[in-house]
Amino acid sequence: MSIAEYAIIGGTGVYDPALLKNAETITLDTPYGAVEVIIGAYESKPVAFVPRHGPHHQWAPHRVNYRGNLWALRQLGVTQVLATAAVGSLDPEIAPGTLVLVDDFLDFTKSRPCSFYDEGTIVHVDMSDPYCHRLRQHLRATGDRLGIPLREGGVYVCTEGPRFETKAEIRLYQRLGGSVVGMTSVPEVVLAKELEMCYATVCIVTNYAAGISPAPLTHEEVVEQMRANVHRVRELFFETFLHMDGIRDCRCPHAVGGQSTLGMKGDPS
Ligand code: HPA
């Protein structure tokens, strides 16, 4: 039984769902530990919310329970996920405050569990359209309707963190075609695809990356920029869900042959 079809994963600076009515927190047991999820309704549409870094923002990017968070959502019947991500800009033309609808990634993570398929069944999930293009279209349409400008397309460079990058690393990422840099989109986007969920991320540019920005980077400026922009993203997400039907005519529901990991560790639905 599906409790909620739609979910938001809130990154740094997005710790509560704010606009949800009758919100309650439930704890779900997953093969990756217990995960707290907030469930409520937006205009009577059930929506689940998970703070990516844990209920007290206690997990650094390399320690986030990415698998637990997504498994818990899947257990609730979620098939469509919108995520926020604070990022630095690699492009002088992408200024702080810009919302970027990324469509691809470069993975520079090092130590994270990055798959539900560790043993037994081996799956090599297709990543030629990592962020669901159908969800991106819906976000764009909602942005146009609400007058919330979204920069269409961009390559998310995912680093291991939790430190910020060196100037040399930023020069490398620029040469490789990166647009923005952050620490969390991988493996989240990959795991969502392995569970055959539709998943899209709106990046909130909080700063110019190291070396582009003349000043040293601080977590405080990231949080400050998030505070200034979070209301726009919340409205964008909830209004997007409100105007969506349940039709998933993208490739995501068949990303691993329509099987997802069901049966590996028990059917989570
Ligand atoms: N680098 C990595 N992650 C980030 C940044 C950055 O400059 N800004 C916000 N998250």
Side-chain angles (χ1 to χ4, degrees):
M1 189 194 63
S2 175
I3 292 172
E5 194 178 338
Y6 304 97
I8 293 170
I9 298 181
T12 296
V14 188
Y15 305 132
D16 69 78
L19 303 176
L20 282 186
K21 293 259 166 52
N22 303 322
E24 58 172 319
T25 302
I26 58 168
T27 304
L28 290 145
D29 283 324
T30 79
Y32 311 98
V35 174
E36 281 188 18
V37 180
I38 300 170
I39 301 181
Y42 183 72
E43 309 261 335
S44 78
K45 210 163 199 179
V47 177
F49 176 88
V50 176
R52 177 183 291 126
H53 297 267
H56 312 291
H57 197 70
Q58 70 268 46
W59 300 117
H62 62 299
R63 300 283 312 283
V64 164
N65 186 2
Y66 296 99
R67 291 192 295 187
N69 288 349
L70 282 158
W71 195 275
L73 292 178
R74 182 69 186 78
Q75 275 179 301
L76 293 172
V78 168
T79 55
Q80 323 218 31
V81 181
L82 297 178
T84 70
V87 294
S89 168
L90 297 169
D91 179 345
E93 288 186 1
I94 306 180
T98 307
L99 304 183
V100 184
L101 203 44
V102 284
D103 59 5
D104 214 338
F105 68 76
L106 288 165
D107 179 11
F108 285 91
T109 63
K110 295 174 186 157
S111 70
R112 311 169 178 194
C114 58
S115 177
F116 289 110
Y117 294 94
D118 281 340
E119 55 183 320
T121 313
I122 308 295
V123 164
H124 304 286
V125 72
D126 176 60
M127 277 292 114
S128 45
D129 187 25
Y131 302 90
C132 173
H133 74 91
R134 187 185 54 81
L135 277 186
R136 286 190 280 119
Q137 272 169 10
H138 280 292
L139 284 164
R140 256 198 325 270
T142 307
D144 288 348
R145 196 165 46 79
L146 299 179
I148 299 176
L150 291 173
R151 188 181 170 104
E152 169 60 21
V155 176
Y156 182 116
V157 178
C158 194
T159 66
E160 183 67 1
R163 66 170 175 83
F164 287 120
E165 301 70 41
T166 66
K167 289 187 272 189
E169 286 170 331
I170 293 301
R171 285 197 298 275
L172 172 74
Y173 300 151
Q174 286 175 315
R175 278 186 205 149
L176 292 178
S179 316
V180 294
V181 58
M183 304 176 192
T184 55
S185 200
V186 184
E188 197 168 87
V189 58
V190 179
L191 295 169
K193 195 74 92 188
E194 284 190 352
L195 290 181
E196 300 184 325
M197 291 164 149
C198 297
Y199 174 99
T201 294
V202 170
C203 295
I204 299 143
V205 179
T206 56
N207 56 280
Y208 283 117
I212 305 175
S213 161
L217 306 185
T218 64
H219 183 62
E220 287 66 37
E221 80 182 289
V222 171
V223 171
E224 189 41 51
Q225 268 293 343
M226 288 303 298
R227 196 171 296 133
N229 287 291
V230 64
H231 64 282
R232 291 196 295 158
V233 179
R234 271 206 200 96
E235 190 187 2
L236 177 70
F237 281 9
F238 285 120
E239 283 293 313
T240 298
F241 287 151
L242 197 59
H243 289 84
M244 276 170 64
D245 50 32
I247 297 168
R248 298 174 71 210
D249 54 1
C250 46
R251 291 207 303 260
C252 307
H254 314 285
V256 293
Q259 301 297 313
S260 77
T261 73
L262 312 192
M264 256 182 73
K265 300 180 179 72
D267 184 339
S269 57

